[in-house]
Structure formats: C-alpha cells, structure tokens
Amino acid sequence: MYIKKLMLLNYRNYRKLDIELGPAVNVFIGNNAQGKTNILESIYYCGFARSHRNSKDRELVNWNENNAYVSVGVSKDRLDKKIDINILKDGKKSIRVNSIKITKIGELIGVFNVVMFSPEDLKIVKESPGIRRRFIDMELCQLSNRYYYNLVQYNKVLNERNLVLKNRKIDEFILDVYDEQLSSFAEQIIKDRINYINNLNNHGKAIHKDITSGKEDIEFKYVSSVKDLENIKISMKEGLLKSRSKDVERRITSIGPHRDDFIILINNIDAKSYGSQGQQRTAVLTIKFASLNIIKDITKEYPVLLLDDVLSELDFTRKAYILNSIHGIQTLITCTGIEDISKYIKENAKVFKVKDGSVKV
C-alpha cells in the first residue's frame, strides 16, 4: 500500500498543494513552522477523519477560507482507493471513497491504513491510561469493523447508564438492562484488546532486543477493572452489581474497558514510573514498529508510515534502526536537514523542500 498523490486546498497554511509521492521514502525538509507536519497530519486525517494532534476540525481550515479539501490516491494490491474529504469552517465534513459518499466514520477507518510516529507519542508511555486506551482503540478500529462497532455501541450504552446514575430517582430495572448490554460489548472489546497486546508482545520483544542490542527485554500487560478475564461477561456483570451503590453515589460507571489500561515493562520495571527518557522513547519505537507488523499480518500489506520530526529526538542506534527497517514500506519523513539520513536513503527516494506552505521537489 502506498500513496500516489496528495492534494490539499486551504488546509492549514496550504492554499494549494498537488504532489506525487514515491512508493518508498519521501523526505520533507524545511525549517520549523513551515508546514511539514501539516502534510503528515492531512494524510493521517484521511485514515481516521481526525487529526493526530487532537485539533478540532475547524482549525484545519485556513483562517481566511470557508472550507478545506484533502485528497489522497492510494495504490493497494486489491483495489486502488481515492479518499476525498471536504472540511467546512463549522467543523462539519463530507467524505467520499472512490466518489461514493459515506455517512459513518466507521466506513472510512480501515480503507487506508497508516501508522504515525511523532514526538507526542511519548505520551503513550508517560501519561494517563486514556492515552494508551486511545492508542489501542485506534489501532484495532483500523483492523476490525467489528471492533469499531462494539466500541461505538459500548460507549453509547455507557453514556446512557451514566445519565441514569445522574438522576435523583434511580431505576434499578433500567440499570440491570444496561449492565447486561455493557457486559456483552465489553467482553468482545476486552478480548480483542488482549489479543492485540499478545501481538504486541509477539512482535515487540524481538524488535526491542534488536534496538537495544539485546540489553533490554520489553513486555506489555493488559490491566483490567474486570477481575476474571477468563469469564469477562459474567465477571463484569457481577462487578457492576457489586459497585452499583458506589456508582450511584459518584454518578459514574466505575468498571469496564473504559477504565482499563496496559503497562509497559522494561526488564520487569514499569517504564512509565521508572524508565529513563531513552528507554521510554525506545518503548514507543518498539510499539510503532510492532504495529506495522501487526497490520501487515492481518491486511497482507504494510501501512503507510509517517515519521514526524522524530529522528532528531533519537540517538544514532535508534535512528539507524528506523532507517534500516523501512525498506518495502512507503515512509514520509519530516526533518530540518538531510545530512543525518542521507547515507540511508536509496536512489528511489524523493526529497521535497517545504517553505511557507509551498513544496518543491
């Protein structure tokens, strides 16, 4: 899988951009605040209909304009895809895949697979469980329509249950109904997450050893608020019933996959609390490259890899690992200079110069 063409109109600082990308390495060079990240963001947006920077959709539209347009032409083994997204100033958007308008985001996710590695990804290791849940949910959604459906339905029922908990008069029967529904969707979500964590371990352990020259072992462990992961549905129903009085008091649901997390252990030590900055960066690198391989295993094609200004943050060993591991994967790299990576770039690479919202080959 690779992008053949990218077109932007009134997207952030780009009035108009129309470029053809190479199937291998594409390097975007320029000073800071020139628009390099905006290019990668627009490609990520075509995969998920959202920015990796948590920006609101209206912020993607050039401030002098009423709408922005993003289009990518994607070459795939089975059927080429063309994704067109029109973003209005009020945040609404219209999405077409091969000229067919889609009405649900779930119809877009998975059409075009992408893995992005940016400096912000250090949050996966360092910050709250919500960041890690978002990561695993985004990865699973682009691999499974079933997972996306279960997650949407779970969140819908969860919100309805929480509304009931906020009422002064609690309807126990309705809570029983919601508990049954929540437990059913939770069972599928947690099973898929655990399977994904197992795949992270299967691929990540070898990758991490390669990056650290065998000095470190990495392990990912799923941590659930549901006690018995062998009998998830039953255990969750029992837990919801047991915690009902507490939920009523706090007016929020305290058990379920929306409370779960996964931990990252390096040499059996929690990387979040005790890992060095270098170890945390390496853990993120391991996660991203393991994700590439998981997507390849399931879809039979590598996704597009986006590397947003991460090489400058890494030491020589980790930088070399990345640049030696991207053969056969379309990779878009942003950086301020080519000197550090020129010896790794092959003849079929394309280099673009970015300045003030314009791109030149």
Side-chain angles (χ1 to χ4, degrees):
M1 178 188 301
Y2 66 93
I3 300 167
K4 295 184 290 185
K5 189 172 183 178
L6 170 67
M7 183 176 178
L8 304 177
L9 291 174
N10 301 325
Y11 185 92
R12 296 240 189 225
N13 68 328
Y14 286 95
R15 293 290 187 178
K16 183 176 181 180
L17 177 67
D18 191 349
I19 57 174
E20 293 184 358
L21 300 174
V25 178
N26 298 267
V27 184
F28 293 85
I29 299 174
N31 294 327
N32 293 326
Q34 301 302 304
K36 303 188 301 296
T37 296
N38 295 341
I39 291 173
L40 270 58
E41 178 191 45
S42 69
I43 292 171
Y44 184 93
Y45 193 87
C46 287
F48 294 101
R50 64 186 296 175
S51 167
H52 73 288
R53 295 189 278 197
N54 287 329
S55 299
K56 296 178 181 178
D57 284 350
R58 64 174 178 268
E59 295 171 358
L60 307 179
V61 182
N62 185 285
W63 69 281
N64 284 323
E65 304 295 336
N66 292 318
N67 68 295
Y69 173 77
V70 187
S71 176
V72 293
V74 182
S75 177
K76 302 184 72 172
D77 284 346
R78 295 180 181 177
L79 178 66
D80 289 358
K81 300 289 185 180
K82 185 172 184 288
I83 299 169
D84 302 288
I85 305 180
N86 191 48
I87 309 164
L88 301 180
K89 195 74 171 180
D90 62 6
K92 295 180 181 178
K93 51 182 169 271
S94 173
I95 305 173
R96 293 182 182 273
V97 177
N98 287 354
S99 299
I100 299 173
K101 187 174 182 178
I102 65 174
T103 57
K104 298 179 180 178
I105 299 300
E107 297 177 87
L108 173 67
I109 298 175
V111 170
F112 161 56
N113 294 318
V114 58
V115 169
M116 187 161 193
F117 185 14
S118 68
E120 292 85 359
D121 287 324
L122 198 58
K123 294 177 182 178
I124 295 173
V125 180
K126 296 180 67 172
E127 295 195 7
S128 67
I131 302 290
R132 288 180 287 280
R133 284 195 300 270
R134 182 187 176 217
F135 161 74
I136 199 170
D137 285 341
M138 296 293 282
E139 293 301 308
L140 280 166
C141 282
Q142 70 172 329
L143 291 171
S144 170
N145 291 332
R146 181 195 67 181
Y147 185 86
Y148 179 84
Y149 171 81
N150 287 331
L151 187 63
V152 169
Q153 294 304 312
Y154 177 87
N155 286 327
K156 180 181 177 181
V157 177
L158 177 65
N159 289 334
E160 291 173 356
R161 186 182 193 270
N162 287 339
L163 285 175
V164 172
L165 293 173
K166 289 176 171 63
N167 290 333
R168 292 183 178 181
K169 186 177 180 180
I170 302 298
D171 189 325
E172 298 285 345
F173 174 76
I174 292 180
L175 285 178
D176 288 340
V177 173
Y178 285 148
D179 289 358
E180 175 70 27
Q181 294 175 338
L182 271 184
S183 300
S184 294
F185 291 123
E187 180 178 33
Q188 300 305 316
I189 291 169
I190 292 174
K191 282 182 176 179
D192 286 343
R193 285 181 179 177
I194 291 173
N195 184 58
Y196 190 83
I197 292 297
N198 289 338
N199 285 331
L200 271 184
N201 279 314
N202 291 338
H203 288 286
K205 288 179 181 292
I207 291 171
H208 201 81
K209 277 193 173 294
D210 284 347
I211 299 173
T212 63
S213 302
K215 296 176 182 178
E216 293 179 0
D217 292 309
I218 196 167
E219 184 178 5
F220 305 95
K221 287 187 176 181
Y222 192 75
V223 179
S224 182
S225 55
V226 178
K227 300 300 182 184
D228 184 359
L229 295 180
E230 296 296 324
N231 301 282
I232 297 171
K233 183 176 179 179
I234 294 173
S235 180
M236 178 155 170
K237 282 179 64 178
E238 291 175 348
L240 287 170
L241 186 59
K242 186 177 180 180
S243 66
R244 183 172 292 183
S245 59
K246 180 177 70 175
D247 289 356
V248 169
E249 181 183 348
R250 297 181 179 180
R251 300 184 177 187
I252 197 165
T253 303
S254 58
I255 293 175
H258 65 289
R259 294 291 206 177
D260 291 357
D261 194 3
F262 71 90
I263 59 173
I264 304 163
L265 301 174
I266 296 177
N267 293 340
N268 292 317
I269 297 173
D270 186 353
K272 176 184 176 181
S273 300
Y274 303 105
S276 67
Q277 188 88 341
Q279 287 177 318
Q280 291 173 342
R281 290 189 190 282
T282 306
V284 175
L285 181 56
T286 296
I287 289 170
K288 293 297 180 174
F289 273 85
S291 298
L292 283 173
N293 289 314
I294 292 170
I295 293 172
K296 174 65 160 55
D297 286 347
I298 294 173
T299 68
K300 310 306 178 186
E301 291 183 279
Y302 278 115
V304 173
L305 175 61
L306 309 176
L307 302 176
D308 185 24
D309 195 29
V310 295
L311 297 179
S312 62
E313 303 285 336
L314 301 172
D315 61 21
F316 174 80
T317 301
R318 291 160 179 79
K319 189 183 302 182
Y321 179 85
I322 290 177
L323 296 172
N324 285 322
S325 300
I326 58 178
H327 304 302
I329 303 172
Q330 187 187 43
T331 306
L332 280 70
I333 302 173
T334 65
C335 56
T336 55
I338 199 169
E339 294 80 10
D340 291 342
I341 63 175
S342 58
K343 62 183 176 182
Y344 297 97
I345 297 176
K346 306 303 178 183
E347 292 180 357
N348 58 349
K350 293 188 74 170
V351 178
F352 301 87
K353 295 181 179 179
V354 182
K355 185 178 181 181
D356 293 330
S358 65
V359 177
K360 296 181 179 180
V361 180

